[in-house]
Amino acid sequence: MSSTFLWVLLPFLFLALTPQRSGGQLDQEWCIADEQTPDEELQMAMKWACEAGGADCSKIQENQECFWPNTTQHHASYAFNNYYQRFKQQGATCYFNSAALVTALDPSDNSCKFEYLP
């Protein structure tokens, strides 16, 4: 491939990968645990998010609205998203040592609301 072709193609690739705006807002994004990540790795990443990371994990404690389903996957998703929403404007990412990913699908259910902050 010629370098001229690559320089012409590069701006189009950039535009294709840029999030599209709808109604003046960027599409909503949540950070959730990757289903392929072993529970032990999710536990370590969740521990960091809830402790050193500064996420508010109070809602995934027993007898709270986001405790059920009581799975590592669900609790990690809640913790990762809480951290990501709180700190993304300051440069935080949804990485967690490859244990998480960004989704445009709201992971909330009837009893547990996953926060979204623009």
Side-chain angles (χ1 to χ4, degrees):
M1 239 186 254
S2 73
S3 61
T4 304
F5 178 73
L6 290 175
W7 281 110
V8 170
L9 185 61
L10 191 59
F12 292 107
L13 181 60
F14 177 76
L15 287 173
L17 296 175
T18 303
Q20 299 298 308
R21 294 179 182 266
S22 59
Q25 296 289 327
L26 284 177
D27 292 335
Q28 294 181 354
E29 294 181 334
W30 291 266
C31 180
I32 59 171
D34 186 338
E35 293 177 359
Q36 298 177 14
T37 304
D39 280 359
E40 302 79 44
E41 291 179 36
L42 291 176
Q43 285 282 6
M44 289 189 310
M46 181 172 47
K47 179 179 168 79
W48 181 87
C50 294
E51 294 175 4
D56 178 3
C57 297
S58 61
K59 291 185 180 177
I60 55 174
Q61 302 304 311
E62 193 167 1
N63 297 320
Q64 297 301 312
E65 61 262 35
C66 293
F67 180 72
W68 296 105
N70 182 16
T71 66
T72 301
Q73 177 84 27
H74 175 75
H75 289 182
S77 290
Y78 185 88
F80 295 168
N81 186 67
N82 186 274
Y83 169 84
Y84 179 64
Q85 298 300 332
R86 294 179 95 184
F87 300 111
K88 66 184 175 185
Q89 296 298 330
Q90 295 143 12
T93 64
C94 177
Y95 181 66
F96 298 95
N97 205 27
S98 290
L101 52 88
V102 172
T103 182
L105 300 174
D106 184 351
S108 301
D109 61 35
N110 291 336
S111 62
C112 180
K113 173 85 171 108
F114 278 60
E115 186 173 35
Y116 167 76
L117 299 173

